[in-house]
Amino acid sequence: MPLVNEKDLLLPALEEGRAVGAFNANNMEMVQAFIWAAEEVSKELGEPVDLIIQVSPGAAKYAGWSMAAGMVKIAASETDIRVALNLDHATEIDQVKKALEAGFTAVLFDGSSLPFEENIRLTRQVVEMCHSRGVPVEAELGKIPRIEDYFSQSEIAYLRSLPAAEAVRIIRERAGKSVEELMAKPEDVEYFVKKTGCDFLAAAFGSIHGIWDDIWPIRLDRLIAIQERMRIPLVSHGSSGILMTPKDAERKGIKLLKGEGTLLDAIKTGGVTKVNVATALSIAFIDGFIEAWRANPSEKDFRKFGSAARDRVKEKVKEYMRLFAGKVE
Ligand code: G3H
Ligand code: ZN
């Protein structure tokens, strides 16, 4: 079917206390993996699973705006899955214009690096542009940092080699205070949403972009305080790194401190209705590709490796989809 408006996916999800996965696509194989995962999980659960495919300005530069949007539109037209196409983390008005021209059905404008009032002013401008075309806007309040803001590439490689609990201890020590200071303030929520006119809110509640595995707890207490201020679909960013469930935390030996929680808690009690995942899928793609190549290094047909990478991404996305539908404990 044609692309759908993201509002048509997130407003019912908010009512029903579930979340919709928003997965970042960089190539054809990723787009196919997401759609096939949604088709398979829909069949498995006996209920339709919705899908948001995201393209960042970086991905649009890599593939070209019309190629990136075109792939998603064609793939959506060949399935019964409801698919919205979101521009992820736009920081310039020109990127929003390009996305609207290419037919995106949602936009995240990320003014989180700007002073508060400037973030509001530019986001408002984006909202006016997008709403005049019926396209909803996600806005960012507080700041969701990147793991690279705190650690060098070689330090990240070292952290990835450690047991999860030890990596979390080190991240807490170096980044914990800063991540806390960057979180959205509940008292800003109504003012920010009213002034910007945004439809969805990417409020920072303790996550970090770009963590390689699900090891990091979010601040559930802050998320709940934000959610109590206003009924609006909330968006989880940096979700690759967030612990999936309390059981998952226990299995990994990660102790949740007071006020902390997992992705499952964020959906069940925190009002999170859109969950953004990028890094975990990029890693799944790389791992799938490399393993297939290692198993057959003399193979000349790279599609063999591309299929393995696509399968690996699909299986990872299916895990997320079951969690977001509330089918995991
Ligand atoms: O907007 C995209 C997401 O926040 C992805 O974060 O790469 O840590 O999963 P992630
Ligand atoms: Zn993000």
Side-chain angles (χ1 to χ4, degrees):
M1 68 176 85
L3 292 175
V4 301
N5 191 297
E6 198 172 285
K7 255 189 173 179
D8 295 336
L9 304 189
L10 295 187
L11 297 182
L14 180 64
E15 287 314 309
E16 292 159 27
R18 56 177 174 83
V20 180
F23 304 105
N24 284 65
N26 292 309
N27 63 11
M28 177 194 78
E29 289 82 354
M30 303 289 269
V31 172
Q32 291 171 323
F34 303 161
I35 291 190
W36 296 348
E39 287 173 345
E40 288 177 23
V41 176
S42 296
K43 213 175 261 173
E44 181 184 306
L45 302 180
E47 57 193 55
V49 169
D50 296 330
L51 172 65
I52 298 167
I53 297 184
Q54 315 202 110
V55 172
S56 66
K61 197 169 164 201
Y62 176 71
W65 285 91
S66 48
M67 176 68 88
M71 277 190 304
V72 178
K73 282 186 216 171
I74 291 170
S77 75
E78 292 172 345
T79 181
D80 291 333
I81 298 297
R82 303 198 302 166
V83 183
L85 173 58
N86 180 44
L87 173 61
D88 191 32
H89 288 289
T91 52
E92 294 162 22
I93 299 281
D94 194 50
Q95 295 162 348
V96 177
K97 279 188 190 149
K98 289 199 170 99
L100 290 175
E101 277 160 22
F104 282 57
T105 59
V107 164
L108 156 59
F109 184 74
D110 175 0
S112 64
S113 298
L114 303 168
F116 185 62
E117 287 298 334
E118 187 60 4
N119 181 4
I120 291 178
R121 193 183 68 77
L122 272 188
T123 305
R124 176 82 225 166
Q125 211 175 310
V126 169
V127 165
E128 278 161 17
M129 270 169 66
C130 291
H131 282 186
S132 69
R133 304 213 191 187
V135 171
V137 175
E138 174 184 335
E140 189 154 328
L141 179 62
K143 187 169 174 57
I144 301 130
R146 299 171 319 136
I147 193 71
E148 289 82 2
D149 297 338
Y150 305 104
F151 295 93
S152 68
Q153 283 305 333
S154 58
E155 286 173 325
I156 291 172
Y158 171 67
L159 288 171
R160 285 178 72 169
S161 73
L162 295 176
E166 179 58 4
V168 168
R169 189 191 64 74
I170 296 172
I171 301 172
R172 277 193 205 279
E173 207 170 85
R174 187 174 306 176
K177 196 164 180 296
S178 157
V179 174
E180 172 154 16
E181 283 165 3
L182 293 171
M183 291 197 297
K185 295 182 180 58
E187 59 273 23
D188 289 339
V189 169
E190 285 128 308
Y191 179 78
F192 184 79
V193 172
K194 277 204 184 105
K195 283 273 176 183
T196 58
C198 69
D199 304 277
F200 322 125
L201 189 62
F205 49 84
S207 66
I208 304 174
H209 280 116
I211 296 182
W212 50 93
D213 204 358
D214 46 325
I215 58 174
W216 186 247
I218 49 127
R219 282 288 299 276
L220 187 63
D221 52 353
R222 179 62 64 99
L223 175 60
I224 289 172
I226 289 166
Q227 180 223 216
E228 280 169 352
R229 291 284 174 153
M230 210 167 189
R231 196 159 169 75
I232 180 168
L234 294 172
V235 182
S236 170
H237 279 255
S239 312
S240 296
I242 302 176
L243 280 162
M244 290 225 195
T245 65
K247 270 194 186 155
D248 190 28
E250 213 181 298
R251 208 176 40 246
K252 291 180 173 161
I254 297 164
K255 224 173 127 33
L256 297 179
L257 306 180
K258 194 165 173 281
E260 291 183 340
T262 66
L263 208 43
L264 184 65
D265 303 317
I267 296 165
K268 286 224 155 133
T269 55
V272 162
T273 49
K274 173 173 179 267
V275 182
N276 289 12
V277 184
T279 303
L281 307 179
S282 184
I283 291 175
F285 189 94
I286 294 168
D287 288 351
F289 200 97
I290 289 178
E291 267 176 38
W293 173 77
R294 282 213 179 109
N296 195 1
S298 63
E299 175 60 62
K300 288 180 293 172
D301 181 352
F302 93 92
R303 291 170 299 187
K304 303 258 168 55
F305 312 138
S307 309
R310 182 169 57 191
D311 281 349
R312 187 69 71 91
V313 172
K314 186 183 74 176
E315 290 311 314
K316 188 78 194 163
V317 168
K318 283 167 72 176
E319 267 179 54
Y320 280 114
M321 285 174 166
R322 292 181 195 112
L323 178 75
F324 302 162
K327 307 294 175 194
V328 172
E329 284 186 6

